Amino acid sequence: MINLFKVYNPLNVIWLAVLLLITRIGYALQAPDKIQFVFVEPFARLLIPASYEYTFSPGMNIFLAAVLVLAQALLINYLANLYNLLSRPTFLPALMYVTLSALFTPFMVLSAPLFCNFLVIWMLFKLLSLYKSDDAKSTAYDLGIIVAIGSLIYLPFIYLFLCIWIALIIFKPFNWREWISGILGYLTVFFFLAVIYYLSNRLGYFFKIWAPLGTRFPNSINIRYINYLVLVPVVLLLILYFYKLQQNYLKSYVQVRKSFLLLFFLFLIAGMSFYVKSQFNLNHFLLCAVPASVFFAYYFLNGTKKWIYESLYFLLLISIIYFQFNTF
C-alpha cells in the first residue's frame, strides 16, 4: 500500500476513494438515526438564521464528509509537492490524511472542524509563501481574515492566529507593520459582525463572544482509555517521524526545515486549543490531521525497511476498522 502511494500517479485518486469507503463502511452500517451538523458558532447564527442541523440523513452526512475529506487530501498533497516538503512528488500526504480522518467516528461526519481544515490548508499555502515574499503585509492581512472566518465557524480556531506571528518569526525579519496587518485583517471581519449585532439591537451580546477564551485549561478529562487504543500506532509513527526527521534535518533545504518547524507549532496549537469548548469534542483534533499527514508521509517516504513501515500502516488501518465495530 505504501509503495503504491510513494509514486506520484494520478490513478491513486481512485485508490484513495476506495480507502475512504473501506475506512467508513463500519460506521456507516451502524450510524445513529440522526447526526447533528453544527456549521457555525452560536454567536454567528445571525449570519445563517435558517435551521440546518438535521438537514442531511446519516448516510448523506457521511458521504458528504467523505467527499470533503478527499478534496482536502488532494489539496494537502498538492501543497506538500508544491513546496517540495518531501523532496520528491508523492501521493503519501493524501493517503495519510484520508487514513487519519477515519481515526474516530466523530471525524467521519460533517462538522465545524472538518470545514475549518479547508481554512487550515488555505493558511498553509499563504504561510509557506512568506519565505520568498518581499512584502508580507498583504499576506498577513489575508491570514487574519481567514482566522476570523474560522473563528465564526469554530471558536478554538482563533488560536491559529498565533501561527501567523510564528511564521513571521520563522520566515521573515521583524517588521511591526506585518504583525499589525494580521490583527487588522482579523478585526475587519468582526467589525462587520459587530455592525450586524448593532443593527439587531444585540450589541451587548457581541462582547460576550470571547468569554470562552477565559476558560481554564482542564486538570483532567474523563475518557475511556480503551477506546483510544487506536492511537497507539499513531503515537509510534509520530516517534518514528521525529527520529527520521532529526536524522535528515540538517541535510534538508532551509525552507523545508522552517516549514516543518511551522507545521510542528501548528500541530501543537491546534491540539492544545480543545479546552475552549465547554464540552469535550473529539472532532476538534481533526485540525491536527493536516500537519500530521505531512509528518507521517515524511516518515513513510524516508523509511528504509519496507516490512516495518508497511506493517505499521497495516496495523493502523486494521485498528481503525476494528474500533469502528468495537466501541466497548
Side-chain angles (χ1 to χ4, degrees):
M1 177 69 78
I2 296 299
N3 281 348
L4 176 66
F5 283 88
K6 275 188 175 183
V7 181
Y8 187 79
N9 186 348
L11 292 177
N12 284 335
V13 176
I14 299 175
W15 292 112
L16 285 175
V18 172
L19 184 63
L20 273 169
L21 175 64
I22 292 174
T23 54
R24 282 158 172 77
I25 192 169
Y27 179 60
L29 292 174
Q30 54 183 0
D33 296 332
K34 288 185 177 182
I35 299 178
Q36 186 181 27
F37 165 46
V38 179
F39 178 63
V40 295
E41 289 288 348
F43 64 80
R45 283 306 302 269
L46 288 174
L47 304 176
I48 307 178
S51 178
Y52 63 88
E53 285 81 359
Y54 296 100
T55 302
F56 303 112
S57 65
M60 181 57 68
N61 191 308
I62 296 170
F63 172 75
L64 291 176
V67 172
L68 294 182
V69 166
L70 181 60
Q72 291 170 353
L74 295 177
L75 285 172
I76 294 168
N77 202 79
Y78 176 69
L79 172 75
N81 291 327
L82 177 66
Y83 289 99
N84 198 30
L85 298 181
L86 302 175
S87 72
R88 60 189 172 97
T90 176
F91 249 93
L92 284 175
L95 173 65
M96 293 300 110
Y97 185 76
V98 167
T99 305
L100 290 173
S101 66
L103 270 178
F104 301 104
T105 53
F107 287 8
M108 302 182 196
V109 297
L110 294 174
S111 63
L114 177 61
F115 279 91
C116 281
N117 270 354
F118 279 110
L119 299 178
V120 173
I121 298 168
W122 190 9
M123 284 185 66
L124 282 174
F125 272 103
K126 288 188 170 293
L127 289 170
L128 296 180
S129 70
L130 289 174
Y131 182 76
K132 294 184 178 180
S133 174
D134 294 328
D135 186 1
K137 291 192 291 294
S138 60
T139 302
Y141 182 83
D142 293 342
L143 285 164
I145 291 177
I146 295 172
V147 174
I149 294 172
S151 302
L152 296 179
I153 298 173
Y154 187 61
L155 185 59
F157 197 88
I158 190 176
Y159 280 104
L160 292 192
F161 187 91
L162 296 174
C163 291
I164 303 175
W165 286 345
I166 291 173
L168 289 174
I169 293 173
I170 293 174
F171 293 124
K172 308 289 293 181
F174 178 75
N175 183 334
W176 67 269
R177 293 179 179 84
E178 295 171 351
W179 286 56
I180 296 298
S181 295
I183 298 176
L184 293 177
Y186 189 91
L187 292 179
T188 298
V189 173
F190 275 86
F191 169 77
F192 287 107
L193 182 64
V195 171
I196 295 173
Y197 266 78
Y198 174 75
L199 296 176
S200 304
N201 294 319
R202 301 181 60 184
L203 189 59
Y205 293 98
F206 175 78
F207 299 103
K208 298 180 181 179
I209 290 175
W210 294 276
L213 299 180
T215 305
R216 295 182 59 185
F217 198 85
N219 295 322
S220 62
I221 302 174
N222 295 322
I223 58 176
R224 298 183 64 186
Y225 293 99
I226 195 169
N227 289 334
Y228 297 88
L229 289 176
V230 69
L231 291 177
V232 172
V234 173
V235 174
L236 181 58
L237 285 170
L238 277 174
I239 294 172
L240 290 172
Y241 153 73
F242 283 114
Y243 174 73
K244 184 63 66 175
L245 181 66
Q246 65 87 22
Q247 284 185 325
N248 301 327
Y249 190 73
L250 295 179
K251 302 176 184 177
S252 304
Y253 292 110
V254 174
Q255 182 179 5
V256 174
R257 295 204 300 265
K258 291 185 175 184
S259 298
F260 272 99
L261 184 60
L262 174 63
L263 287 171
F264 173 71
F265 281 111
L266 172 62
F267 180 81
L268 283 183
I269 294 170
M272 299 296 285
S273 60
F274 72 92
Y275 73 95
V276 174
K277 304 292 286 186
S278 58
Q279 183 179 0
F280 177 72
N281 294 306
L282 192 59
N283 60 17
H284 168 87
F285 296 98
L286 190 57
L287 295 174
C288 300
V290 175
S293 62
V294 180
F295 296 163
F296 288 6
Y298 183 91
Y299 165 70
F300 284 117
L301 189 64
N302 292 280
T304 55
K305 296 183 178 180
K306 179 180 176 180
W307 71 271
I308 294 180
Y309 61 72
E310 289 284 4
S311 299
L312 282 173
Y313 182 75
F314 182 74
L315 175 63
L316 177 61
L317 199 60
I318 292 300
S319 300
I320 290 171
I321 297 172
Y322 176 78
F323 279 93
Q324 285 180 29
F325 288 96
N326 298 272
T327 55
F328 303 98

